[in-house]
Amino acid sequence: MQLHTSQTLRSWTFGLVACFVAACGNDTQNAERQTADQAIEYDIILQGGTVYDGSGDEPYVADVAIVDDRIAGIGDYGSVNARDIFDVSGYAVAPGFINMLSWATTSLIGDGRSMSDIKQGVTLEVMGEGYSMGPLTEEMKQEIVAGDPVIDEIPWTSLGEYLEFLEEKGVSPNVASFLGAETVRVTILGYLDVNPTPEQLAEMQEIVRAAMGEGALGVSSALIYAPATFAEIDELVALASAAGDSGGMYISHMRSEADRLEEAVQEVIDIAKRANVRAEIYHLKAAGQHNWHKLEKVMAQVNEARKDGYEITADMYPYIAGSAGLDAAVPRWVQEGRLSEWVPKLAEPEIRAQLLEDMHVIGGEWENLYMAARPEGIRLVGLVSDDLKSLNGKTIAEAAELRDQDPREVVLDLLVEDKSWVPVVYTMMSEENIAKKLAVEWVSVGSDGMSWSVDDVPEGATTHPRSFGSFARILGKYVRDEGVISLQEAIRRMTSMPAATLRIRDRGSLKEGYFADVAIFDPETIADRATFDEPFQYSVGMVHVFVNGEQVLADGEHTGALPGRVVRGPGWTGWQE
């Protein structure tokens, strides 16, 4: 419940003082109002809540005081004067959550309120998995505009300019980004399966250094997708090393999360060692039932590297299904060039015959999500052709029955007919492994999804529920209902831990002097509501959210405020100014 004391409202005081002076000339009343305004000691007091400061320590009941965009103190502020006082007794008061893997890159352009994430307490979107929104050539800009209905034009070129564009446009959460290794590769090498020359590699490193100076957090890769998959380890080490020169890290959607999982984890560790950088594994998982047993093995690999002094971490989302394109079910050897160049080849008889054979292989050199999920575990969610939209929500097995085709033929034909990468949901993980990952101290949280508004859902669209429920699902299902980890530890994984991993300043904790990014929720009711059948449902239980000291969620409803700012990494040249 929010309480206002009218004589202490600054906007009321400043506006009416001017009015009375001009119209009434009442010097006495003017002086009284100025005195009342001077009596305001704080802008906001969050009173009587249970404070989870992000450290993982036991919570305690206290007040949180905010002045401008910063936390002024934590303690007993019951007798002070404030512009706004919120009675938050019975609620958890935590730092705003950090989404370590966000795909809100274009959804924030369409709707800056970031509805599905703000309603879960997310106050920082970390973007740039493999591909980032800068630097962009003119050709890359045209490709993005052609493939995304949200964007009409791209007025930025560099990654830093993109982030500043979001801030100037107005967004509710703070925003940050990695530089995509694929973006760097395409800028210099295009979409071909080639290795850079020494001169080209040096040029790629300079792109990394420039992005780090603009505030990038480090370099990211997504190595199961073409053309990113064409990058060999020496190239990745060189880019990671350039990021490390100014404190940046390396983060990767690994080359395999399934049949070659152990080798892929080792590659991440080797890159960290050779480049002398911190490294993180995006959405750690063991995909495919025949690979579920490998999770404990790769966690042991990471623990061993950490014992040797290497900072290796990971993040996760709490679902047994992932999401990617239908192109991830097709061998990479056919994917050289742009989508528009290789997709027509899928219809050529000789190529198709070899593809159909390769798609049935388990344990091959490429990440075969077709076999990891099987046709009954691949759900279509992103067909854009009007003739095909009726298949959204159906599995490949169901589509095959409707079309009277082999499921592999359906995969190839839908790519050809839709002329897109066809977003799908791959069900291929286990609930048991989710609990195992949550129990590990070095695993944080990322949605790997957009931040949607249910008001803007395109007709016939569907999506993965992780965009609406990742953070609330952990706090409700895995903390309260199943007791997999404590509430204070879950909050640490969403706040101070990722902030420390990313080396970002003054965020991720409730401490005096830190930015006032605050999530206030009811531990007894926080829960996800989105399902695979009905994904466009907001989570419940989040009561108030503040970003940079400004309220963006009030009693569960968005205020319309857009106070988000760019959050920059350790290499930003502005730190030196």
Side-chain angles (χ1 to χ4, degrees):
M1 176 175 147
Q2 182 176 353
L3 306 176
H4 293 289
T5 306
S6 61
Q7 63 262 41
T8 64
L9 288 171
R10 284 180 175 168
S11 58
W12 189 90
T13 302
F14 287 141
L16 289 188
V17 164
C19 173
F20 276 92
V21 169
C24 308
N26 192 331
D27 293 336
T28 301
Q29 193 171 22
N30 178 34
E32 290 174 353
R33 294 182 189 281
Q34 288 178 328
T35 300
D37 183 62
Q38 289 169 358
I40 296 175
E41 298 177 64
Y42 300 97
D43 291 320
I44 295 167
I45 299 292
L46 306 174
Q47 197 169 68
T50 303
V51 175
Y52 294 79
D53 60 15
S55 67
D57 293 340
E58 289 293 324
Y60 52 93
V61 175
D63 305 331
V64 178
I66 297 172
V67 173
D68 294 327
D69 59 355
R70 301 270 182 163
I71 295 171
I74 301 174
D76 183 359
Y77 291 88
S79 61
V80 303
N81 198 7
R83 173 170 54 86
D84 292 326
I85 298 175
F86 295 79
D87 179 0
V88 294
S89 55
Y91 294 144
V93 181
F97 303 148
I98 296 173
N99 187 346
M100 278 293 290
L101 175 48
S102 169
W103 275 108
T105 44
T106 60
S107 59
L108 283 176
I109 296 174
D111 188 341
R113 294 176 300 168
S114 192
M115 292 289 288
S116 61
D117 269 0
I118 287 295
K119 281 179 171 283
Q120 296 181 77
V122 172
T123 59
L124 173 58
E125 306 281 6
V126 180
M127 301 176 282
E129 181 200 5
Y131 194 94
S132 55
M133 296 299 279
L136 302 175
T137 65
E138 288 304 315
E139 189 174 18
M140 293 162 73
K141 291 182 182 183
Q142 293 171 13
E143 291 170 352
I144 293 173
V145 171
D148 196 311
V150 171
I151 304 179
D152 296 323
E153 61 176 348
I154 296 180
W156 69 86
T157 295
S158 73
L159 181 58
E161 289 168 348
Y162 161 73
L163 294 170
E164 290 168 357
F165 169 83
L166 290 180
E167 180 177 307
E168 291 168 6
K169 172 191 172 296
V171 292
S172 293
N174 299 308
V175 290
S177 183
F178 284 90
L179 171 68
E182 179 180 330
T183 305
V184 178
R185 171 172 255 270
V186 170
T187 300
I188 301 301
L189 303 175
Y191 295 84
L192 301 179
D193 184 1
V194 297
N195 292 325
T197 65
E199 293 77 18
Q200 288 172 325
L201 190 57
E203 191 174 356
M204 293 165 74
Q205 287 182 301
E206 285 306 309
I207 293 174
V208 173
R209 294 187 181 100
M212 292 299 299
E214 294 172 348
L217 301 168
V219 169
S220 64
S221 66
L223 299 175
I224 74 164
Y225 306 109
T229 191
F230 303 144
E232 296 184 359
I233 189 170
D234 288 347
E235 177 183 326
L236 298 169
V237 168
L239 300 186
S241 179
D245 290 343
S246 52
M249 63 181 292
Y250 174 72
I251 186 168
S252 181
H253 178 151
M254 299 180 297
R255 211 174 290 274
S256 175
E257 297 173 329
D259 298 338
R260 300 178 63 82
L261 175 60
E262 294 159 276
E263 295 90 335
V265 169
Q266 191 58 50
E267 182 181 51
V268 172
I269 294 171
D270 289 344
I271 290 170
K273 290 180 177 180
R274 290 177 55 185
N276 192 29
V277 295
R278 307 182 312 285
E280 175 145 327
I281 298 167
Y282 274 132
H283 41 59
L284 176 65
K285 65 174 72 77
Q289 186 171 356
H290 57 286
N291 294 310
W292 290 351
H293 69 283
K294 296 179 180 178
L295 182 66
E296 290 186 1
K297 295 181 180 179
V298 299
M299 290 194 298
Q301 286 177 263
V302 173
N303 282 330
E304 190 64 30
R306 289 171 61 86
K307 286 179 183 177
D308 291 340
Y310 296 97
E311 293 185 62
I312 313 295
T313 51
D315 53 70
M316 63 170 289
Y317 48 79
Y319 295 90
I320 61 170
S323 186
L326 201 55
D327 56 337
V330 176
R332 305 300 178 266
W333 59 260
V334 77
Q335 296 189 33
E336 187 172 13
R338 294 175 178 81
L339 186 76
S340 60
E341 295 171 336
W342 67 260
V343 162
K345 296 177 183 177
L346 304 182
E348 297 178 14
E350 289 187 7
I351 290 178
R352 174 166 288 219
Q354 186 62 55
L355 290 172
L356 294 175
E357 182 178 333
D358 290 354
M359 288 170 69
H360 257 173
V361 173
I362 292 178
E365 292 297 319
W366 64 287
E367 184 78 332
N368 188 351
L369 296 193
Y370 179 84
M371 292 303 293
R374 306 299 173 102
E376 60 275 12
I378 305 174
R379 182 188 294 252
L380 298 158
V381 298
L383 291 160
V384 295
S385 169
D386 289 337
D387 294 334
L388 298 173
K389 283 182 179 179
S390 62
L391 294 176
N392 281 331
K394 292 181 169 56
T395 67
I396 289 295
E398 292 169 336
E401 186 175 352
L402 286 171
R403 292 163 66 107
D404 193 24
Q405 285 183 287
D406 183 296
R408 293 168 296 166
E409 296 272 7
V410 172
V411 169
L412 301 179
D413 284 347
L414 290 181
L415 285 164
V416 172
E417 294 168 26
D418 206 54
K419 298 181 176 62
S420 77
W421 56 286
V422 187
V424 297
V425 169
Y426 292 97
T427 300
M428 51 190 178
M429 286 84 78
S430 75
E431 278 288 348
E432 182 181 357
N433 278 352
I434 291 175
K436 288 179 180 178
K437 290 182 289 186
L438 279 173
V440 178
E441 63 178 0
W442 41 263
V443 176
S444 61
V445 182
S447 71
D448 197 10
M450 294 192 294
S451 188
W452 294 75
S453 166
V454 296
D455 300 329
D456 299 326
V457 176
E459 184 180 355
T462 185
T463 191
H464 192 301
R466 64 192 182 187
S467 292
F468 284 80
S470 290
F471 294 82
R473 185 174 179 82
I474 289 176
L475 297 174
K477 175 179 171 63
Y478 294 102
V479 172
R480 180 187 62 240
D481 299 341
E482 299 183 7
V484 175
I485 55 174
S486 67
L487 181 54
Q488 59 262 36
E489 176 62 11
I491 289 171
R492 184 187 74 85
R493 306 279 194 83
M494 299 175 181
T495 58
S496 68
M497 178 201 161
T501 298
L502 297 169
R503 301 294 194 266
I504 57 178
R505 300 189 181 189
D506 297 347
R507 297 189 191 272
S509 298
L510 294 183
K511 291 182 180 180
E512 183 177 344
Y514 273 49
F515 286 100
D517 300 333
V518 187
I520 302 164
F521 62 94
D522 185 345
E524 297 302 316
T525 62
I526 189 86
D528 62 308
R529 289 288 181 261
T531 66
F532 288 100
D533 291 326
E534 297 184 49
F536 296 109
Q537 299 187 80
Y538 294 127
S539 292
V540 297
M542 188 61 58
V543 182
H544 305 304
V545 176
F546 295 83
V547 177
N548 299 314
E550 189 167 345
Q551 189 172 20
V552 296
L553 197 73
D555 295 314
E557 298 300 323
H558 206 292
T559 67
L562 305 171
R565 300 176 187 170
V566 178
V567 172
R568 295 177 171 89
W572 182 44
T573 55
W575 299 128
Q576 305 164 12
E577 296 174 358

